[in-house]
Amino acid sequence: MSCPGPDLLLLLREGLLDDDDGDAGAVVEHVDGCDRCQAAQAALARALEAPPLPFDPEAELPAVLERIEALEAAAAAAAPPPTVRLRCTFCHDALEVERTLYCAACLAAHHGECFAEHGRCAAPGCEGRRVVRTSEPPP
C-alpha cells in the first residue's frame, strides 16, 4: 500500500476513519509501520497545534469584564428614555394621547376629525366603523 495523503492521516488522527471500510484497517496497519507516515502524522499534529496566546486569558478576564460593565453603565446613563410618538393613520400628523381615537377593530390611532372625514378606519384592509378611546391618560 502507498502512503495515505493528509486527508486520511487527519481522519485517522481524529478517530474518524471509518472502521466499516475494508481499507481502513490496511491504512492503520500501514501508518503504524511506516516511518514516513509517522513523520507526516507528527508534522500534521504540529501544524494543527494552536499557537500560545500572547497573554494569560485568566489574568485579563476581570479587567475586560470590568470595562464591559463600565461601558454598559455609561451607555445606559447617556441614553435618553425611549419615547413613543403616535401618528394618525389617516393624515400621519402627530396625535395627543388624551384626544386620540382608536379603531375598535384594529386599534389604529386617528384624530377624531380624520376618522369622521374618512368615515371608517384608514388602516389598509380594515373596515372598522367604531372607535374607542382611553378612559384615562397614561401615567
Side-chain angles (χ1 to χ4, degrees):
M1 170 179 208
S2 63
C3 292
D7 53 344
L8 284 178
L9 289 176
L10 181 60
L11 289 173
L12 181 64
R13 177 183 188 274
E14 298 299 322
L16 300 173
L17 196 60
D18 190 8
D19 293 332
D20 296 335
D21 188 4
D23 296 326
V27 171
V28 172
E29 187 177 321
H30 172 82
V31 170
D32 286 344
C34 176
D35 291 336
R36 186 172 163 208
C37 288
Q38 295 288 329
Q41 268 192 322
L44 180 64
R46 283 190 306 275
L48 293 174
E49 196 172 289
L53 293 173
F55 58 88
D56 179 17
E58 294 299 322
E60 297 292 326
L61 185 60
V64 170
L65 291 175
E66 185 177 310
R67 181 152 185 220
I68 289 172
E69 288 174 6
L71 289 172
E72 288 175 345
T83 58
V84 176
R85 293 188 178 98
L86 291 177
R87 298 261 177 211
C88 177
T89 306
F90 183 70
C91 73
H92 306 288
D93 202 6
L95 288 166
E96 296 175 25
V97 176
E98 298 82 19
R99 299 183 59 204
T100 302
L101 299 180
Y102 300 92
C103 171
C106 72
L107 296 179
H110 296 78
H111 291 109
E113 304 83 38
C114 292
F115 197 93
E117 181 181 327
H118 193 57
R120 64 177 177 82
C121 178
C126 184
E127 298 292 326
R129 296 190 180 278
R130 295 173 38 165
V131 295
V132 294
R133 70 175 67 224
T134 55
S135 59
E136 54 187 68

